[in-house]
Amino acid sequence: MTSRIVVIPTRRAHSNHAEVARSIGIDIIAGRYAEGTRLPGDAEMIAMFGVSRPVLRESVKTLVAKGLLTTKARVGTVVRERAAWNMFDADVLAWHLDAGIDKRFLNDLAEIRLAVEPRAAMLAAAQRSEEDLAELRRSMDRMRLEASDSVGFADADLALHVAVARASGNLFMRSIGHVIEAALRASFLLSAPVELEDRDTVLLWHQKIVDAIAAGDAEAASEAMIFVIHNGMHRHEGTVIETAPASVESGEGS
């Protein structure tokens, strides 16, 4: 993958104010409303979207809560600096995919995953319950049954990673689910593991995560998670990692 911008459409909002917030949010993220820019006045925005004043105000309140806008007396509604945006918010992440992402955004997602998910896998190896293990195995079974380019495969992949975060027992790690979802959805749509070798690699290393957590092997669980994330990054570049991390033995299981 090069530095080109890739647009990954998301689901439409279900209410008028949510759809208006989504539209303005995408415009902000795409740079059509630059940082520090004042939005058009209420009358113009109402005419633009064909909504009532209460709907517009509710949309603006939503964007203020997500850190994209600020409202000031006698100034109006102003776009906040990017550093103030809540990048862990599910909508803000989804709007980035709608606005168009580049390699840097994908790498940023991968880096935050690398900062959290391997540790979550380590904790899961110590904290997991039988219910957690059952969910991990269900997700793994579904990945094996579904076609690599199917929505079912992507959903099962996400469910497995979220189950690891949940099994960690750490509430903060559980909250990273929206970041994982955005990263996996982008990865899936850009480079689903459709080639047999790619699919086998993905399934093998996800199984290693599950097996290591089941065995209580924190180090192996962490290393397998690191490999999975790095492998996804390399698929975006048209290659698949073929060598295992030095501390993890090759072959089936952990």
Side-chain angles (χ1 to χ4, degrees):
M1 181 179 173
T2 66
S3 59
R4 64 191 174 90
I5 299 294
V6 179
V7 175
I8 299 177
T10 60
R11 296 183 182 91
R12 291 283 175 176
H14 296 295
S15 65
N16 285 342
H17 87 264
E19 183 57 39
V20 172
R22 174 181 177 274
S23 181
I24 297 172
I26 292 171
D27 283 344
I28 291 170
I29 290 166
R32 288 185 280 273
Y33 294 123
E35 296 176 22
T37 298
R38 186 174 63 183
L39 292 189
D42 283 3
E44 184 177 344
M45 297 288 277
I46 287 168
M48 183 187 306
F49 291 108
V51 296
S52 65
R53 189 176 300 274
V55 168
L56 177 64
R57 288 180 175 173
E58 190 65 27
S59 304
V60 169
K61 283 173 60 178
T62 295
L63 293 168
V64 168
K66 296 177 186 297
L68 274 67
L69 293 176
T70 184
T71 56
K72 299 178 180 179
R74 295 187 295 277
V75 174
T77 304
V78 178
V79 177
R80 296 189 68 185
E81 67 280 7
R82 188 174 293 266
W85 301 354
N86 181 4
M87 292 300 297
F88 286 94
D89 182 86
D91 288 333
V92 174
L93 284 166
W95 297 340
H96 272 83
L97 302 187
D98 279 322
I101 58 174
D102 56 16
K103 187 174 180 180
R104 177 178 178 179
F105 184 81
L106 281 173
N107 285 341
D108 284 349
L109 284 174
E111 285 171 2
I112 192 64
R113 290 182 67 198
L114 285 168
V116 175
E117 286 196 83
R119 180 63 179 171
M122 292 184 74
L123 290 173
Q127 305 281 355
R128 87 292 185 277
S129 65
E130 288 304 314
E131 183 180 349
D132 292 326
L133 289 177
E135 177 59 27
L136 288 167
R137 288 165 178 154
R138 278 194 297 270
S139 299
M140 195 70 240
D141 289 343
R142 189 177 176 195
M143 286 180 72
R144 293 188 184 280
L145 289 173
E146 298 282 357
S148 300
D149 58 352
S150 69
V151 173
F153 185 93
D155 287 346
D157 190 354
L158 172 61
L160 188 148
H161 285 269
V162 171
V164 171
R166 186 178 300 115
S168 74
N170 186 301
L171 294 175
F172 292 97
M173 289 182 177
R174 295 180 189 183
S175 70
I176 200 175
H178 296 313
V179 173
I180 299 171
E181 180 177 9
L184 292 184
R185 185 152 53 83
S187 178
F188 174 73
L189 291 173
L190 290 171
S191 57
V194 292
E195 298 296 329
L196 182 59
E197 184 178 356
D198 290 351
R199 176 183 172 87
D200 287 346
T201 299
V202 168
L203 292 176
L204 170 64
W205 284 90
H206 279 78
Q207 186 65 57
K208 283 179 178 288
I209 294 171
V210 176
D211 290 345
I213 290 173
D217 190 335
E219 183 177 353
S222 175
E223 292 286 359
M225 181 65 78
I226 290 169
F227 184 91
V228 163
I229 297 171
H230 276 145
N231 187 57
M233 293 173 69
H234 279 256
R235 283 208 319 277
H236 301 154
E237 300 167 359
T239 60
V240 176
I241 302 173
E242 296 180 350
T243 56
S247 58
V248 181
E249 296 179 357
S250 60
E252 196 68 34
S254 302

